Amino acid sequence: MTVLNVTINGKTMEVAEGTTILQAANAAGIEIPTLCHHPALKDIGACRMCLVQIENMAALQPACSYPVIDGIKVETHTPRTLEMRKFVLEMLFSERNHYCMFCEMSGDCELQKQAYAHGLAHWTYPTPNPKLQVDASRTYFIMDHNRCILCRRCIRACGDVVGNHTLGMMSRGAKTMVTADMDEPFGDSTCVSCGTCLQVCPTGALVDRRSAYGGRNKDVDTVNSACTFCSIGCRVNVITRNGRPLRVEGDWDGHNQGVLCLAGRFQPLETGRRRVTTPMVKRDGALEPATWDEALAAVAKGVQAAVPGKIHAWVTAATLDQPMDAVVETFRGKFGGDVKTLEAAPPPGETPNGGAMKDIDTADLVLVVDADPLTEHRVLGYRIKRAADNGARILVCADGDNSMADFAHEAFPLSKLDWALASVTTAERPVVVYRAAMDPRLRAKLAVIKAVCIPLHAAANAARAISLGLNNEADGDAEALYILLEEQALTPEQREQAHKAPFVVMHACYVDDVDGLADVVLPAPLWYEREGTFHNIEGKSERVRPAAPPPEDIWSETSVLQQLSLRV
């Protein structure tokens, strides 16, 4: 690694070749103001807020995109640079409506912060305030062009980070606008509602509907946790105020690199479903609220009435390690029954693994086998699309409709897997992404090729379920059936099968899942109230932290199972 010397504001330091002046300054604790810069995005030097003076250079240069050269001397806060930054801000405030008092972002806006820092107390130039459209055609967030400063963060996030390329620029000069698919309403465009653009916007141009005016950064609490709505296990930050979840943001330091999908960022907060808030016991054919003592006594009575060996449990493989272990310990270990998963589990046989999300970034070929990442593991699908942008060849080998096939260089039916694998052998850094539950004979073919393999499971913690020997093979002889459902829903086939059991206990979050089936209902905490661990797509243990306490009458699943075990 080549080491270069740089002097900033009289302070000399060593940096690696390729470091920008902004990065060197940040490392030295020297703050240079920015607007279009974001650590997760490629710098383009568009806003000119980071202009600095370089010795022996006549023009000021943008620190964010100017690489350090050996011996360079930089001044960041000369009268000339300060005057130029103030001029940039005055021009931005004159272009559109930045009347901060009525903006949702007031108090957290990066433009407003810089205005205060540079002493802007009035509009220096005329402010025509053209009335620009507010695009509210998307379900979860809106675009207010009046607040946009054309920094292009959203465009780079959509293209460079997510690989979706929905956003772009339209027209020129003062009429320049951020647009979707060359001027389609955002809600009718190819936008996938991942919300990455929303998270990087420095002003109030992109506004989250749910959390708008819900509190400034100083008013809210942020808890780092993990998403459990698919097996990727994205790292997230859950934002709450007074115990109420406001929004979910991606963790830039996670293996998902800040990217989330619709199912991880927005949908978990907008279920609209009625929650189970207290234990319930069926009396005279109808479920009625009960105390925990009454509910656990009813469960114990139902279990004790069943023939030993016919006391079974179904558990969602989306649950955390701790409740899954407790179910197995209780129902298999103590009651001698079977424990199954609700989601499809891989058939016996080798499941090639060991790959990581970052391997896709450096791959020269990505083969997707019997899986549709853009539907079921969207963040991984976005990563593959980004790899294609960077030159990787994408192959899809699957039957039926497949969203990924639209972006593939070549597609094969599953019967031609050998043809697709022949291409893998010619690549230098191939990655194979496949459905873990596919035919074991096909999985065996993946096990012998020289490639990094990433299995996609049907639920977040399926890897743990496999390690415990759980599968989802049908069992129809249960006399007492316990179902740990949480936020999941039974399929019609599973409901029909569950109806055959004389006694059914459902441990769930929502009322509509238990009506007409359960004899006893036990309330479960929601995803943002749980604490524990699970194993992500890379096989690593992820910590889930509670962002808000559950209601007083809702216990952790593990505590409930421990209490039940003591009573039987």
Side-chain angles (χ1 to χ4, degrees):
M1 179 181 70
T2 302
V3 176
L4 307 175
N5 291 305
V6 55
T7 301
I8 302 178
N9 297 349
K11 184 176 182 179
T12 300
M13 66 201 83
E14 293 182 341
V15 298
E17 187 177 21
T19 303
T20 66
I21 292 174
L22 181 63
Q23 291 170 331
N26 287 341
I30 298 170
E31 182 178 357
I32 299 176
T34 61
L35 281 175
C36 69
H37 167 78
H38 188 282
L41 306 175
K42 295 176 183 175
D43 286 307
I44 57 175
C47 71
R48 320 307 281 179
M49 276 299 294
C50 65
L51 290 176
V52 294
Q53 180 72 57
I54 299 175
E55 188 179 60
N56 297 325
M57 292 192 72
L60 300 178
Q61 300 295 330
C64 68
S65 58
Y66 200 98
V68 168
I69 55 177
D70 194 34
I72 193 172
K73 294 183 179 178
V74 180
E75 292 291 334
T76 64
H77 287 73
T78 65
R80 186 182 174 198
T81 59
L82 294 176
E83 182 182 0
M84 184 58 71
R85 290 170 192 156
K86 187 174 182 180
F87 172 70
V88 168
L89 290 168
E90 289 170 340
M91 294 298 289
L92 287 173
F93 272 86
S94 74
E95 285 184 339
R96 297 191 180 180
N97 185 343
H98 297 295
Y99 198 61
C100 299
M101 285 72 79
F102 295 100
C103 180
E104 189 277 330
M105 279 291 283
S106 183
D108 292 333
C109 173
E110 295 181 37
L111 178 66
Q112 183 187 42
K113 175 186 174 184
Q114 293 302 334
Y116 282 128
H118 289 79
L120 266 68
H122 61 280
W123 278 266
T124 305
Y125 302 103
T127 54
N129 278 349
K131 293 182 179 178
L132 303 178
Q133 64 177 338
V134 176
D135 189 322
S137 58
R138 277 184 288 208
T139 303
Y140 299 106
F141 58 107
I142 67 174
M143 172 77 190
D144 184 352
H145 291 280
N146 297 284
R147 310 292 192 192
C148 179
I149 60 172
L150 303 176
C151 67
R152 296 166 174 78
R153 281 194 193 179
C154 56
I155 296 172
R156 286 175 281 156
C158 183
D160 299 344
V161 178
V162 184
N164 207 48
H165 303 286
T166 294
L167 301 182
M169 304 297 285
M170 180 181 71
S171 301
R172 304 185 66 181
K175 296 182 179 178
T176 304
M177 299 276 285
V178 173
T179 183
D181 292 339
M182 296 305 292
D183 208 20
E184 289 288 328
F186 285 86
D188 297 336
S189 71
T190 56
C191 171
V192 294
S193 291
C194 68
T196 310
C197 58
L198 170 68
Q199 190 169 330
V200 300
C201 181
T203 68
L206 287 166
V207 181
D208 178 48
R209 288 178 185 267
R210 179 184 173 86
S211 64
Y213 300 100
R216 304 271 70 84
N217 288 338
K218 64 180 179 57
D219 303 319
V220 302
D221 297 313
T222 300
V223 173
N224 186 257
S225 188
C227 175
T228 58
F229 292 97
C230 83
S231 63
I232 294 177
C234 294
R235 295 302 309 177
V236 300
N237 289 316
V238 184
I239 316 299
T240 65
R241 186 177 189 185
N242 298 327
R244 173 177 173 263
L246 293 176
R247 64 181 179 273
V248 179
E249 296 181 346
D251 179 358
W252 300 110
D253 296 326
H255 60 298
N256 51 308
Q257 297 182 344
V259 179
L260 298 178
C261 69
L262 178 70
R265 187 187 296 272
F266 297 116
Q267 288 180 339
L269 298 171
E270 304 288 351
T271 64
R273 302 170 72 186
R274 189 156 65 93
R275 187 172 182 184
V276 178
T277 56
T278 183
M280 291 186 286
V281 175
K282 184 180 284 185
R283 299 188 180 101
D284 298 327
L287 287 170
E288 295 181 355
T291 65
W292 274 107
D293 272 346
E294 292 170 336
L296 289 172
V299 175
K301 182 179 178 182
V303 167
Q304 288 167 335
V307 174
K310 294 191 175 183
I311 306 167
H312 299 333
W314 297 351
V315 56
T316 172
T319 195
L320 303 180
D321 293 340
Q322 293 72 23
M324 191 182 294
D325 291 352
V327 171
V328 171
E329 183 178 341
T330 302
F331 285 86
R332 181 194 285 171
K334 183 163 185 175
F335 302 158
D338 288 336
V339 180
K340 309 290 185 184
T341 59
L342 294 172
E343 297 82 4
E350 187 172 357
T351 306
N353 55 31
M357 295 276 282
K358 64 181 181 182
D359 292 326
I360 296 173
D361 299 338
T362 56
D364 60 345
L365 184 145
V366 179
L367 171 62
V368 178
V369 183
D370 199 22
D372 191 351
L374 285 173
T375 300
E376 297 166 346
H377 297 79
R378 294 182 178 94
V379 172
L380 184 75
Y382 305 152
R383 199 73 165 256
I384 295 174
K385 288 172 64 178
R386 193 172 78 183
D389 288 344
N390 294 329
R393 186 171 175 77
I394 310 301
L395 307 181
V396 172
C397 186
D399 294 333
D401 294 336
N402 191 296
S403 306
M404 204 74 231
D406 294 338
F407 305 94
H409 295 88
E410 206 168 354
F412 305 86
L414 207 50
S415 59
K416 302 298 183 184
L417 178 59
D418 290 338
W419 292 15
L421 293 178
S423 297
V424 172
T425 59
T426 63
E428 293 183 4
R429 300 176 302 281
V431 173
V432 177
V433 176
Y434 69 98
R435 186 171 67 90
M438 73 178 189
D439 190 323
R441 293 168 296 181
L442 300 182
R443 283 204 325 249
K445 294 183 178 183
L446 306 182
V448 297
I449 61 173
K450 188 176 181 181
V452 172
C453 290
I454 302 176
L456 301 181
H457 292 286
N461 206 13
R464 180 64 172 176
I466 295 168
S467 71
L468 292 171
L470 307 186
N471 59 51
N472 71 332
E473 295 173 359
D475 56 358
D477 65 341
E479 294 189 359
L481 178 62
Y482 164 88
I483 304 174
L484 179 56
L485 193 61
E486 297 181 343
E487 286 108 343
Q488 311 305 312
L490 296 178
T491 65
E493 293 77 17
Q494 288 170 336
R495 287 188 71 87
E496 182 179 351
Q497 190 176 352
H499 265 298
K500 297 176 182 176
F503 180 72
V504 178
V505 180
M506 298 192 72
H507 206 160
C509 295
Y510 297 112
V511 172
D512 52 354
D513 292 323
V514 301
D515 271 350
L517 180 59
D519 295 285
V520 179
V521 177
L522 307 174
L526 293 173
W527 59 274
Y528 59 83
E529 297 165 346
R530 298 190 189 113
E531 181 173 16
T533 55
F534 72 103
H535 293 76
N536 68 14
I537 194 171
E538 299 179 349
K540 297 177 180 175
S541 180
E542 291 283 2
R543 170 65 63 179
V544 173
R545 298 180 178 87
E552 186 177 354
D553 212 21
I554 295 182
W555 303 354
S556 73
E557 300 94 327
T558 307
S559 297
V560 173
L561 289 160
Q562 288 172 343
Q563 287 293 319
L564 175 61
S565 183
L566 292 173
R567 289 170 181 257
V568 178

